[in-house]
Amino acid sequence: MKKLLSLPRIVVICGSTRFMTEMNEADLRETKAGKIVVKPGCDMKSPHELWSDPVEAEVLKVRLGDLHRAKIRLADEVLVVGDYIGDSTRAEIAYARSLGKPVRFTHPEVDPDA
């Protein structure tokens, strides 16, 4: 389908939201390189009224996880940002690799399969 639309490559940025600044920098660099970039849209580590209620926050966290896996399915490749890999990012890397997506790292030494 993407070939029919002649779309540029799509890269999804993964990583801990503690690296939002680095994700934004990666977004700039990947966009400059001519790629469509998708990345986490919510940093739930920062306070916000949309997730101030703990019950709603847990529901939202599950929905955001599902949404991010959809972004991985959409993407042609994955870019993992940051020098730390937590459980969620580790699961995203495994998911991407199970789908045959190439995975790049800003810090290759943190690749769990290296």
Side-chain angles (χ1 to χ4, degrees):
M1 182 63 170
K2 286 184 240 178
K3 280 199 171 82
L4 289 173
L5 298 171
S6 63
L7 292 173
R9 284 182 68 79
I10 300 170
V11 60
V12 61
I13 295 175
C14 293
S16 171
T17 54
R18 73 174 71 166
F19 299 119
M20 285 304 270
T21 301
E22 292 87 342
M23 287 182 187
N24 292 334
E25 180 67 23
D27 186 350
L28 288 171
R29 293 177 182 280
E30 295 295 312
T31 298
K32 182 177 182 280
K35 296 177 186 173
I36 295 171
V37 178
V38 290
K39 66 181 194 281
C42 297
D43 173 9
M44 291 186 68
K45 288 183 173 62
S46 299
H48 194 283
E49 64 187 43
L50 290 176
W51 47 85
S52 58
D53 176 276
V55 176
E56 288 179 24
E58 277 309 304
V59 172
L60 179 60
K61 196 170 185 176
V62 172
R63 282 193 14 240
L64 292 175
D66 292 342
L67 182 61
H68 200 70
R69 282 184 292 281
K71 291 175 183 178
I72 292 169
R73 291 191 302 276
L74 171 74
D76 298 303
E77 61 181 315
V78 174
L79 175 60
V80 179
V81 172
D83 59 0
Y84 160 82
I85 303 288
D87 292 340
S88 296
T89 304
R90 190 179 315 278
E92 291 165 359
I93 293 165
Y95 183 64
R97 286 181 165 152
S98 78
L99 298 173
K101 307 282 179 172
V103 180
R104 293 185 287 128
F105 293 81
T106 59
H107 295 73
E109 69 275 9
V110 298
D111 182 347
D113 296 327

